[in-house]
Amino acid sequence: MTDVGVTVRQAVEADDAALLDLDRNAWDSRSGFPSFRTVERDSFFNEHSRPEAVLVATDGDQVLGFARLVDKYSFVEGAGVLLVAGLAVAPTARRRGVGSALLDAITAEARRRHGRKISLNVFSANLRAQRLYERHGYVVEARRIAEFIIDGEPMDDLVLAKFL
């Protein structure tokens, strides 16, 4: 169930600092790459990730989460396949329906863009995220066994998809 105060909108440049802070604090070893958290950055947005590719969940002025939605392929045969290249919810905003609000907005945006499929990746250890994606119609397309080493342990990478 989505919290009444949660709204989703397209990101703007002014969201940069709040999104960078969220991106630094939302991930743990079950949901993100530890090495990415140690990289020094002074901006969330860059040449590969512009505000127009990011949806932001807010409650008033507070940024609660984000999702980055991009074309998965740059060639015509892959047209209509979109990739969720990151979805994060602030630890203090979890269990408020922020992830569901973002996934609903992703689906609406994908349909607006005439998408036919939405793809994303999730670590096998991130069971909470897997359940959320499943509730929103995502299915497992592939399991990459021991794709990563996280905290010294092999971690499977799941490829999920939602067909529109």
Side-chain angles (χ1 to χ4, degrees):
M1 178 173 196
T2 302
D3 187 303
V4 207
V6 176
T7 59
V8 179
R9 60 169 172 76
Q10 185 174 329
V12 294
E13 288 285 346
D15 294 321
D16 189 68
L19 288 169
L20 182 59
D21 185 58
L22 173 60
D23 199 32
R24 286 179 173 150
N25 296 302
W27 308 98
D28 62 28
S29 295
R30 293 164 35 107
S31 61
F33 297 104
S35 62
F36 285 14
R37 292 192 303 273
T38 61
V39 174
E40 287 297 319
R41 297 179 298 154
D42 57 0
S43 180
F44 178 82
F45 299 120
N46 60 46
E47 65 277 0
H48 303 293
S49 179
R50 304 297 312 146
E52 42 287 342
V54 179
L55 298 169
V56 179
T58 63
D59 185 351
D61 292 340
Q62 184 181 18
V63 171
L64 305 176
F66 73 83
R68 188 177 292 115
L69 185 65
V70 297
D71 291 325
K72 186 169 183 181
Y73 303 107
S74 61
F75 47 88
V76 71
E77 292 84 358
V81 180
L82 302 171
L83 174 68
V84 178
L87 188 153
V89 175
T92 57
R94 293 185 181 151
R95 309 201 64 73
R96 286 184 53 192
V98 176
S100 285
L102 285 165
L103 288 170
D104 290 343
I106 286 167
T107 300
E109 177 62 13
R111 286 189 172 124
R112 187 190 71 74
R113 292 168 55 180
H114 305 289
R116 59 186 172 86
K117 177 181 175 180
I118 305 167
S119 182
L120 60 81
N121 294 63
V122 63
F123 289 161
S124 58
N126 195 345
L127 299 176
R128 180 179 288 167
Q130 289 175 54
R131 286 191 298 269
L132 173 67
Y133 297 138
E134 183 179 280
R135 286 194 308 271
H136 283 268
Y138 288 81
V139 296
V140 175
E141 280 195 309
R143 180 182 205 102
R144 297 180 181 134
I145 308 295
E147 187 77 358
F148 306 109
I149 302 296
I150 307 288
D151 294 337
E153 298 293 323
M155 178 76 68
D156 294 356
D157 181 42
L158 302 179
V159 180
L160 277 61
K162 179 176 182 171
F163 296 87
L164 303 174

